[in-house]
Amino acid sequence: MEDHKIKKLIEQSFLSSEQKRFLFQYIELKRVDMKFFDIFSTYLMETAKKNGPSYEKLADKIQNLQKELDERATLEKKRIEDRLEQELSSIDQLDLKTRRRIWEEYYDTLDELGERYDKKLKEILSKIELPAV
């Protein structure tokens, strides 16, 4: 559902046909992820600079939303890493079973963080209203 909104957003945007085609192909092959957001943001920035101040405001808004999301994800990752260090330091070095369980939980938690990040990127993109060409 969100991918549909993002595709519609791209279609209605002021990006070039070539850029739109690339973004559509990217979504089909790899889905909306951090790399997609970076590419989309770069395209918007480049096009905005060519089209004037009102487009630059939109590009700045997108960049600020991405920065805010990145900062929140970085803080959460730091908390996860701190918790890992704390748990590992309280366990006997030879307790491999517990250490393995803690590492598995750590990687599962990082995967969940990545999924939440991707979901939030989709939400951000689906709420942005781009000026039509």
Side-chain angles (χ1 to χ4, degrees):
M1 183 173 155
E2 290 172 341
D3 284 356
H4 174 71
K5 289 180 184 178
I6 294 168
K7 287 178 181 179
K8 186 176 179 181
L9 173 74
I10 293 167
E11 184 60 41
Q12 296 173 345
S13 75
F14 52 87
L15 299 176
S16 72
S17 297
E18 184 179 303
Q19 291 171 325
K20 289 177 185 181
R21 188 172 32 259
F22 177 82
L23 292 172
F24 288 140
Q25 289 173 350
Y26 190 99
I27 290 172
E28 292 301 317
L29 294 173
K30 299 183 182 182
R31 74 182 171 84
V32 176
D33 59 7
M34 290 181 275
K35 180 76 172 168
F36 170 85
F37 194 84
D38 288 339
I39 293 167
F40 186 56
S41 180
T42 299
Y43 284 172
L44 290 175
M45 298 298 172
E46 291 170 356
T47 306
K49 289 178 182 175
K50 294 176 188 174
N51 290 318
S54 62
Y55 291 93
E56 286 187 43
K57 286 181 187 178
L58 174 64
D60 288 343
K61 177 181 177 183
I62 293 169
Q63 193 171 28
N64 289 337
L65 289 170
Q66 182 182 14
K67 182 180 175 186
E68 180 183 321
L69 181 59
D70 287 348
E71 288 172 355
R72 286 195 314 241
T74 300
L75 286 174
E76 189 166 348
K77 186 174 182 232
K78 174 73 171 124
R79 283 193 292 267
I80 292 167
E81 290 171 348
D82 289 347
R83 189 175 70 226
L84 171 70
E85 288 179 26
Q86 183 181 19
E87 288 178 0
L88 288 175
S89 69
S90 66
I91 295 172
D92 186 313
Q93 293 282 14
L94 299 176
D95 187 354
L96 300 179
K97 183 177 179 180
T98 303
R99 288 175 119 22
R100 183 180 313 123
R101 179 188 53 80
I102 290 171
W103 277 105
E104 287 172 358
E105 289 173 2
Y106 168 75
Y107 288 118
D108 288 345
T109 304
L110 285 183
D111 288 344
E112 290 172 17
L113 176 61
E115 289 171 12
R116 287 194 319 267
Y117 185 93
D118 289 347
K119 183 178 178 183
K120 188 64 179 173
L121 283 177
K122 287 181 179 183
E123 287 175 22
I124 288 171
L125 288 173
S126 67
K127 292 178 183 177
I128 293 172
E129 295 181 28
L130 295 175
V133 181

